[in-house]
Amino acid sequence: MNGLDLLGPEQRGLFIGGSWREAEAGKRLDVVDPADGSVLTDVADGSVADAVEALDAAVAAQASWATTPPRERGEILRRAFELVTERADAFAHLMSLEMGKTVAEARGEVTYGAEFFRWYAEEAVRIHGRWMQAPGGGSRLLTIKKPVGPCLFITPWNFPLAMGTRKIGPAIAAGCTMVVKPASQTPLTMLALAAVLEEAGLPGGVLNVVTTSHTGEFSETLQADDRLRKVSFTGSTGVGKVLVRQSADQLQRLSMELGGNAPFLVFEDADVDAAVDGAMIAKMRNMGEACTAANRFLVHSSVAQEFADKLGKRMGGLTVGRGQDDGVDVGPLIDERAVETVSQLVTDAVHDGARVVCGGQAPDGPGYFYAPTVLLDVPVDAEINVQEIFGPVAPISTFEDEADAIRMANDTEYGLASYVYTRDLSRTIRLAEALEFGMVGVNTGLISNPAAPFGGVKSSGFGREGGFEGIEEYLETTYVALPAG
Ligand code: NAD
């Protein structure tokens, strides 16, 4: 099984109004294997007219979907959870092929991604308002929750399944319809997911998927349409800002899951071996191509050399190769540009005085690989500490005390994930309160959990996905004033 068999030929098309079809202009879009640059297959390249048709279908389905009983909406999600779980191996292979991550990692994403369907299957039946007496007596206050309406979802290539289910799950549960545009590098997983939802009994028009290379025109046209009520985007901060601007005329509701620059703080009282274990996860999950990836290792000067040596040994021992091959720990990056960006950041850091503990270069092609790299003595203001690396590189800088560490950690435009290693409980509380990030991992390198509210502050965006909070992004509140009777 190589995963491509999850999709029949018609399912490499557009999914609109419950039917699979070709793009209006008959255009196709190549999907490339990042391990060698070859073309895996192709999918429909939807036009703006196709996008509008997808919105038409979402709008047509909205009223009946909003009144479909919550239990029914939940059961569809539950069936989809079961189907994805049954086909976990095929989904993992498909994702590995189009995105590059190892099959083992992709299996982890299938478990994580499918769980959003199970979690929101359970939440669908717990949408409720409240009834209260007005504080001054007399009237009664009633609130009703209603679905926001037709949504547009735009997802990135790094987690092709989970970034979709985090939006689709709560939207289905809340009674919203949607148009989804997956990243053009990784459209296959989303198409396979649409096929699963169709099989699970989702009515036509609730979910519409348009694969397209015309990204700018696509979002501009749909956001100018007053029938679209909500945009949820996961991707880079630059594109997020464009979508926020485009939402102004129609005042669409927004959820923005944008870039990160996570600090990974290791204090002098930390268990250094545990910190290295956590660092391997926080840095190397998805080859470093994660918004939650530890981007800056800020380590107390008294333990920095020990931490660097131990991390270097682990990183240097990883096997780089094709994600589907046995024994491979680290797959390719998404494309050539990603390798160039990472190479440049490392070259500049070394020029600024960083020492290479391991790695430090891209192996010869084919494929878009970069060697797992650890850098020590990286100047705090080096570009590699300022921007998202999105690759398997761990730059280590040092601090002298807690105030210094907090100041350095917060000195970024981003505010998504942060990680802290310390054995001091009082310090943990101080840090959790002082760090300007949406998420703080304490003595762990893995924070993502479908039951937890995932999201950021500052240039990392706003809104939360997962947890009890995630469904609120898809609900409006109507307040009803009633006399006392
Ligand atoms: P990207 O912003 O380049 O692309 C994301 C999506 O937006 C893709 O589907 C792309 O085709 C689309 N797009 C690009 N321009 C568009 C436009 N003008 N209108 C409509 N759609 C447009 O990001 P990427 O390279 O795919 O993903 C990596 C980025 O995503 C990183 O910055 C990463 O931190 C971020 N990310 C954030 C989270 C989070 O939850 N905060 C999760 C995963 C990834």
Side-chain angles (χ1 to χ4, degrees), residues 12 22 61 96 212 229 245 331 345 363 410 441:
R12 296 170 202 199
E22 274 304 315
S96 173
T212 180
R229 293 316 313 143
R245 281 187 208 108
L345 288 170
N410 286 341

PDB file of all heavy atoms in Angstrom, residues 12 22 61 96 212 229 245 331 345 363 410 441:
ATOM      1  N   ARG A  12      -9.208  12.919  -7.561  1.00  0.00           N
ATOM      2  CA  ARG A  12      -8.112  13.884  -7.725  1.00  0.00           C
ATOM      3  C   ARG A  12      -8.661  15.142  -8.406  1.00  0.00           C
ATOM      4  O   ARG A  12      -7.956  15.867  -9.084  1.00  0.00           O
ATOM      5  CB  ARG A  12      -6.961  13.247  -8.501  1.00  0.00           C
ATOM      6  CG  ARG A  12      -6.380  12.096  -7.688  1.00  0.00           C
ATOM      7  CD  ARG A  12      -5.394  11.229  -8.425  1.00  0.00           C
ATOM      8  NE  ARG A  12      -5.332   9.925  -7.738  1.00  0.00           N
ATOM      9  CZ  ARG A  12      -4.376   9.053  -7.843  1.00  0.00           C
ATOM     10  NH1 ARG A  12      -3.347   9.302  -8.629  1.00  0.00           N
ATOM     11  NH2 ARG A  12      -4.419   7.908  -7.190  1.00  0.00           N
ATOM     12  N   GLU A  22     -14.029  17.707 -12.546  1.00  0.00           N
ATOM     13  CA  GLU A  22     -12.836  18.389 -13.057  1.00  0.00           C
ATOM     14  C   GLU A  22     -12.940  19.892 -12.811  1.00  0.00           C
ATOM     15  O   GLU A  22     -14.049  20.419 -12.637  1.00  0.00           O
ATOM     16  CB  GLU A  22     -12.738  18.155 -14.576  1.00  0.00           C
ATOM     17  CG  GLU A  22     -12.046  16.879 -14.966  1.00  0.00           C
ATOM     18  CD  GLU A  22     -10.653  16.764 -14.373  1.00  0.00           C
ATOM     19  OE1 GLU A  22      -9.892  17.748 -14.420  1.00  0.00           O
ATOM     20  OE2 GLU A  22     -10.337  15.692 -13.829  1.00  0.00           O
ATOM     21  N   ALA A  61     -26.323  24.687   1.302  1.00  0.00           N
ATOM     22  CA  ALA A  61     -26.468  23.627   2.314  1.00  0.00           C
ATOM     23  C   ALA A  61     -26.595  24.183   3.736  1.00  0.00           C
ATOM     24  O   ALA A  61     -26.958  23.446   4.664  1.00  0.00           O
ATOM     25  CB  ALA A  61     -25.256  22.690   2.242  1.00  0.00           C
ATOM     26  N   SER A  96       3.177  10.996   3.947  1.00  0.00           N
ATOM     27  CA  SER A  96       4.631  10.892   3.849  1.00  0.00           C
ATOM     28  C   SER A  96       5.079  11.155   2.408  1.00  0.00           C
ATOM     29  O   SER A  96       6.069  11.853   2.166  1.00  0.00           O
ATOM     30  CB  SER A  96       5.069   9.496   4.308  1.00  0.00           C
ATOM     31  OG  SER A  96       6.431   9.304   4.078  1.00  0.00           O
ATOM     32  N   THR A 212      -6.174  24.454  -5.798  1.00  0.00           N
ATOM     33  CA  THR A 212      -5.934  25.513  -6.783  1.00  0.00           C
ATOM     34  C   THR A 212      -4.535  26.099  -6.630  1.00  0.00           C
ATOM     35  O   THR A 212      -3.955  26.069  -5.534  1.00  0.00           O
ATOM     36  CB  THR A 212      -6.969  26.657  -6.626  1.00  0.00           C
ATOM     37  OG1 THR A 212      -6.708  27.659  -7.599  1.00  0.00           O
ATOM     38  CG2 THR A 212      -6.927  27.299  -5.246  1.00  0.00           C
ATOM     39  N   ARG A 229     -19.070  33.989   5.886  1.00  0.00           N
ATOM     40  CA  ARG A 229     -19.165  34.618   7.200  1.00  0.00           C
ATOM     41  C   ARG A 229     -17.935  34.434   8.070  1.00  0.00           C
ATOM     42  O   ARG A 229     -17.828  35.046   9.134  1.00  0.00           O
ATOM     43  CB  ARG A 229     -20.410  34.083   7.948  1.00  0.00           C
ATOM     44  CG  ARG A 229     -21.754  34.475   7.355  1.00  0.00           C
ATOM     45  CD  ARG A 229     -21.864  35.959   6.931  1.00  0.00           C
ATOM     46  NE  ARG A 229     -21.376  36.872   7.939  1.00  0.00           N
ATOM     47  CZ  ARG A 229     -20.691  38.008   7.657  1.00  0.00           C
ATOM     48  NH1 ARG A 229     -20.443  38.368   6.413  1.00  0.00           N
ATOM     49  NH2 ARG A 229     -20.266  38.775   8.618  1.00  0.00           N
ATOM     50  N   ARG A 245      -6.730  41.746   6.165  1.00  0.00           N
ATOM     51  CA  ARG A 245      -7.089  42.975   5.416  1.00  0.00           C
ATOM     52  C   ARG A 245      -8.290  42.714   4.511  1.00  0.00           C
ATOM     53  O   ARG A 245      -9.210  43.510   4.428  1.00  0.00           O
ATOM     54  CB  ARG A 245      -5.910  43.448   4.567  1.00  0.00           C
ATOM     55  CG  ARG A 245      -4.888  44.187   5.369  1.00  0.00           C
ATOM     56  CD  ARG A 245      -3.807  44.806   4.474  1.00  0.00           C
ATOM     57  NE  ARG A 245      -2.596  44.898   5.265  1.00  0.00           N
ATOM     58  CZ  ARG A 245      -1.516  44.133   5.103  1.00  0.00           C
ATOM     59  NH1 ARG A 245      -1.463  43.250   4.124  1.00  0.00           N
ATOM     60  NH2 ARG A 245      -0.487  44.274   5.897  1.00  0.00           N
ATOM     61  N   GLY A 331      13.037  13.114   7.245  1.00  0.00           N
ATOM     62  CA  GLY A 331      12.745  13.173   5.816  1.00  0.00           C
ATOM     63  C   GLY A 331      13.231  14.479   5.194  1.00  0.00           C
ATOM     64  O   GLY A 331      13.916  15.279   5.837  1.00  0.00           O
ATOM     65  N   LEU A 345      20.462  30.746   6.810  1.00  0.00           N
ATOM     66  CA  LEU A 345      20.403  31.097   8.239  1.00  0.00           C
ATOM     67  C   LEU A 345      21.601  30.507   8.983  1.00  0.00           C
ATOM     68  O   LEU A 345      22.206  31.163   9.843  1.00  0.00           O
ATOM     69  CB  LEU A 345      19.092  30.587   8.860  1.00  0.00           C
ATOM     70  CG  LEU A 345      17.825  31.345   8.450  1.00  0.00           C
ATOM     71  CD1 LEU A 345      16.577  30.607   8.933  1.00  0.00           C
ATOM     72  CD2 LEU A 345      17.848  32.774   9.015  1.00  0.00           C
ATOM     73  N   PRO A 363      23.045  17.817   2.303  1.00  0.00           N
ATOM     74  CA  PRO A 363      23.705  16.771   1.523  1.00  0.00           C
ATOM     75  C   PRO A 363      23.434  16.954   0.030  1.00  0.00           C
ATOM     76  O   PRO A 363      22.505  17.684  -0.342  1.00  0.00           O
ATOM     77  CB  PRO A 363      23.064  15.481   2.046  1.00  0.00           C
ATOM     78  CG  PRO A 363      21.832  15.884   2.753  1.00  0.00           C
ATOM     79  CD  PRO A 363      21.929  17.322   3.113  1.00  0.00           C
ATOM     80  N   ASN A 410      10.747  36.606  25.443  1.00  0.00           N
ATOM     81  CA  ASN A 410       9.649  37.460  24.964  1.00  0.00           C
ATOM     82  C   ASN A 410      10.082  38.425  23.860  1.00  0.00           C
ATOM     83  O   ASN A 410       9.228  39.091  23.263  1.00  0.00           O
ATOM     84  CB  ASN A 410       9.073  38.283  26.128  1.00  0.00           C
ATOM     85  CG  ASN A 410       8.224  37.424  27.057  1.00  0.00           C
ATOM     86  OD1 ASN A 410       7.782  36.345  26.679  1.00  0.00           O
ATOM     87  ND2 ASN A 410       8.006  37.907  28.265  1.00  0.00           N
ATOM     88  N   GLY A 441       4.867  24.806  27.502  1.00  0.00           N
ATOM     89  CA  GLY A 441       5.105  23.402  27.841  1.00  0.00           C
ATOM     90  C   GLY A 441       6.094  23.356  28.994  1.00  0.00           C
ATOM     91  O   GLY A 441       7.170  23.945  28.897  1.00  0.00           O
TER      92      GLY A 441
END
